[in-house]
Amino acid sequence: MVDSFEECVVATKRAQMMEETRGKIIRAARKAFAAKGYAAASMDDLTAEAGLTRGALYHNFGSKQGLLQAVVDQIDQEMVERMLAAQDQAASRWGGLLEEGVAYIEMALEPEVQRIMLLDGPAVLGDPSQWPNQNACLLRTTQTLQALIDEGTVKPVDAEAAARLINGAALNAALWIAAADDPRAVLPKAVEAFRQLATGLLKAKG
Amino acid sequence: MVDSFEECVVATKRAQMMEETRGKIIRAARKAFAAKGYAAASMDDLTAEAGLTRGALYHNFGSKQGLLQAVVDQIDQEMVERMLAAQDQAASRWGGLLEEGVAYIEMALEPEVQRIMLLDGPAVLGDPSQWPNQNACLLRTTQTLQALIDEGTVKPVDAEAAARLINGAALNAALWIAAADDPRAVLPKAVEAFRQLATGLLKAKG
DNA sequence: AAATTGACATACGTTTTGTATGTTAAAGTT
DNA sequence: AACTTTAACATACAAAACGTATGTCAATTT
């Protein structure tokens, strides 16, 4: 039981230490997973680079898969934040939806997102739309779309279905860009096609 | 050198035997990969179920990854054939494009396609759009789209970009359906949203 | 101050991949 | 037709990596 301020301060010391080691391992894992891929990344090398051993890893994350889950959660959170920022920056609600998709496409230029989120993550952890944060992101898109349907801007389709299709189009565009010889060159083409495709959901021609 | 009919017949015997064993291994691999996933599938168990040993595997495919490539190629070819059949069945060129996408979505209801083609394949072999058959499929879609652009049916966007977005939308719809509690229930919703979304590429409202 | 908890390291066993070597049947050669 | 050679596949071996079981020491509790 904690019954004084000093004891409380001391009591948090171990938790802070643990968070520190968790952070170090996750940081090393992000680098290793992005560089070598999940399967080829050795837990021994991973923890060694963080100045630790596999003992710390299994104590904190339970398994290799548990570590990947933690890494995915962290990156996913960063992605959601960036997408929300992009959405808020747009003038209209419809524009927000588009900017969100464009932001998603742009993020896939980063190897970490590419390898961990788009390739290894789904294979090891299963369908991305089942991940907690991805669900939150998709839910927001779905709600935005539903609002657009209610206000009459968008055709009366199933909001979730449309959200997933939009997401998928953006995702594939992202994969294409990341695998392209000159990613910067194909990015504008993908963004333009994305904007055009999305208008299919609009009620009236823009 | 082969200089008689009989020698020729005999000469093909070994090749036939080899094709037979290749087929047996690939068949077992399709089952195992679909059921357990690529990483968890043991090559020992795999070949044992085919009545062989790992020796045959490494002789014929070189590596575990080589076997997956062979499996992916086979399934990919089957998928392309089904997509072409769907396309040919449509009345208009635009309708063919849509039916192609719908066929793609429907195929993802099968666990083999889901697990091997959509989850493990990309993680192990890299971006699917780089696979030989996927390229052929995507190329056809791109060409169809280009023709639609030339005839004035579709907006003048980058044909390849549009093809990849369409493909991606269909792919994500497929993943959604496969992971859904009741796949048969969400299938029509996904198909309808896909048709609506695709109209964004059309010049005039349908 | 003794005891206990827990964060992390060390050591071990199991599994799996890939390779190196062996074996046998088929094909070519003389 | 017998010998040699090739090659498809099996067997045996080595290395790597994951997960677990155990050990250790600092930090907290009593």
Side-chain angles (χ1 to χ4, degrees):
Chain A
M1 191 63 72
V2 176
D3 52 345
S4 85
F5 176 72
E6 282 194 1
E7 271 185 3
C8 179
V9 168
V10 172
T12 61
K13 242 180 189 172
R14 272 168 76 156
Q16 279 179 1
M17 291 271 289
M18 200 160 169
E19 271 310 306
E20 175 67 26
T21 64
R22 277 180 66 95
K24 281 198 282 192
I25 293 175
I26 289 182
R27 229 170 303 152
R30 281 178 71 147
K31 246 177 62 178
F33 288 163
K36 304 180 170 186
Y38 174 79
S42 162
M43 308 300 263
D44 263 323
D45 301 351
L46 242 188
T47 49
E49 178 152 339
L52 298 162
T53 69
R54 283 209 331 273
L57 195 156
Y58 283 92
H59 187 73
N60 281 282
F61 300 98
S63 66
K64 187 179 185 180
Q65 188 173 327
L67 175 59
L68 178 63
Q69 181 73 61
V71 168
V72 161
D73 285 347
Q74 191 181 79
I75 299 179
D76 212 355
Q77 198 174 338
E78 295 170 11
M79 289 178 74
V80 170
E81 282 166 15
R82 285 173 60 176
M83 288 174 73
L84 291 180
Q87 192 182 21
D88 291 347
Q89 211 171 339
S92 67
R93 204 189 308 238
W94 173 253
L97 191 73
L98 290 180
E99 288 313 310
E100 198 180 305
V102 172
Y104 190 78
I105 294 175
E106 284 173 345
M107 281 187 278
L109 292 173
E110 298 158 30
E112 258 188 359
V113 173
Q114 164 83 6
R115 179 83 226 192
I116 300 175
M117 303 302 286
L118 307 182
L119 289 179
D120 286 334
V124 177
L125 305 175
D127 181 38
S129 56
Q130 310 291 339
W131 302 348
N133 284 327
Q134 189 87 3
N135 251 345
C137 166
L138 197 67
L139 189 63
R140 268 201 67 106
T141 305
T142 305
Q143 286 169 344
T144 305
L145 265 168
Q146 189 61 56
L148 285 162
I149 292 169
D150 291 341
E151 77 182 27
T153 308
V154 162
K155 292 175 191 166
V157 295
D158 186 88
E160 187 180 0
R164 289 184 184 264
L165 289 170
I166 289 275
N167 237 35
L171 191 150
N172 226 41
L175 282 172
W176 176 39
I177 295 167
D181 294 330
D182 185 3
R184 306 282 163 191
V186 299
L187 176 60
K189 286 198 258 187
V191 169
E192 174 59 19
F194 176 74
R195 288 180 193 278
Q196 292 299 334
L197 184 65
T199 62
L201 298 174
L202 284 173
K203 232 175 196 169
K205 274 289 182 201
Chain B
M1 191 62 74
V2 175
D3 52 344
S4 85
F5 177 73
E6 282 195 2
E7 270 185 6
C8 179
V9 167
V10 173
T12 61
K13 243 181 191 174
R14 273 168 76 152
Q16 277 179 2
M17 290 272 287
M18 199 162 170
E19 272 309 307
E20 175 66 27
T21 63
R22 278 180 65 95
K24 281 198 284 192
I25 293 175
I26 289 182
R27 230 171 302 152
R30 281 178 72 146
K31 247 178 62 177
F33 287 163
K36 304 180 169 186
Y38 173 78
S42 161
M43 307 301 265
D44 261 323
D45 301 351
L46 242 186
T47 48
E49 177 152 338
L52 297 162
T53 68
R54 283 210 331 273
L57 195 156
Y58 281 93
H59 187 73
N60 280 282
F61 301 99
S63 66
K64 187 179 184 180
Q65 188 173 327
L67 175 58
L68 178 62
Q69 182 73 62
V71 167
V72 160
D73 285 347
Q74 191 180 79
I75 299 179
D76 212 355
Q77 197 174 339
E78 294 170 12
M79 290 179 73
V80 169
E81 281 167 15
R82 286 172 59 176
M83 289 175 71
L84 290 180
Q87 192 183 21
D88 291 347
Q89 210 171 339
S92 67
R93 206 188 307 235
W94 173 253
L97 192 72
L98 290 181
E99 288 313 311
E100 199 180 303
V102 172
Y104 190 78
I105 294 175
E106 285 173 344
M107 282 187 277
L109 292 173
E110 299 158 28
E112 257 188 359
V113 173
Q114 164 84 6
R115 180 82 225 190
I116 300 176
M117 303 301 286
L118 307 181
L119 289 179
D120 287 334
V124 178
L125 304 175
D127 180 39
S129 56
Q130 310 291 340
W131 303 348
N133 284 327
Q134 189 87 1
N135 251 344
C137 166
L138 197 67
L139 189 63
R140 267 200 67 105
T141 305
T142 305
Q143 286 169 344
T144 304
L145 265 167
Q146 189 61 57
L148 285 162
I149 293 168
D150 291 341
E151 77 184 25
T153 309
V154 161
K155 292 175 191 166
V157 295
D158 186 89
E160 187 180 2
R164 288 183 185 264
L165 289 171
I166 290 273
N167 236 36
L171 191 151
N172 227 41
L175 282 173
W176 176 40
I177 295 168
D181 294 329
D182 185 3
R184 306 283 164 190
V186 300
L187 176 59
K189 286 198 260 187
V191 169
E192 174 58 21
F194 175 74
R195 289 180 191 279
Q196 292 299 334
L197 183 65
T199 63
L201 296 175
L202 283 173
K203 235 176 194 168
K205 274 289 182 201

